[in-house]
Every structure is written in C-alpha cells, then in structure tokens.
Amino acid sequence: MWEIPFYGIVIPIITIVFSLISTMKYRKYFIAPVVIFIGLNIMTIVLPLIHNVGWEALFGWAVFYAVISLIISLIVWLAKRKTSTPRTT
C-alpha cells in the first residue's frame, strides 16, 4: 500500500527536479524522459514480484510521468531557444 503515496508524492517531485536539472544544466533534453520511463518500469517489474500489486497501474504511472517529463523538457528547450536566438530588424 506504500506505493500509492510514493507514486503520488515522491515521483512527481523527482520527475520535475530531474527534468529541470537535465535540461537546464546538462542540455540533455530527451534523456530525462527516457531515464524516468526506464527507471519506473524497473519498479513495474520488481514490485509485483515483492507485493501483491498489478503491473498495469504501475506501467500507466511510468508512461504518465515520462510524458510529463517530456513536456517539461520541451518547454525548457523552447524557452531557451527563444531567448538565445538573435533578433533581426
């Protein structure tokens, strides 16, 4: 039962922080969604072996947070691209 607060409180914070750090500091725009998707899918495989939880819901959360991370990365990329392009008059 501990996985519900974990996926509801801890994972969103990790997703936002990891996405912002990887896009702003390291300029790796698509590595955060891939790492989050793979990392959460490892938990999708391991948790059903340890506890009596279904894998479908965990996979759904992994896809959801990967999409959120991708959206954050694209927003930061577009913002950096818009501010870094020189204006011509």
Side-chain angles (χ1 to χ4, degrees), residues 13-82:
I13 294 170
I14 291 172
T15 300
I16 292 169
V17 169
F18 186 65
S19 297
L20 289 175
I21 287 173
S22 68
T23 56
M24 294 177 79
K25 188 172 182 180
Y26 299 116
R27 297 178 192 242
K28 303 289 184 189
Y29 299 107
F30 296 107
I31 197 75
V34 171
V35 168
I36 288 172
F37 184 73
I38 291 172
L40 290 178
N41 276 322
I42 289 172
M43 292 190 341
T44 299
I45 295 169
V46 172
L47 279 178
L49 296 175
I50 298 171
H51 297 288
N52 189 15
V53 295
W55 66 271
E56 295 91 358
L58 298 175
F59 181 73
W61 282 109
V63 170
F64 175 73
Y65 287 126
V67 169
I68 295 296
S69 177
L70 181 66
I71 290 170
I72 291 171
S73 297
L74 290 175
I75 288 171
V76 171
W77 176 64
L78 289 173
K80 282 190 166 226
R81 186 175 154 208
K82 185 177 180 181

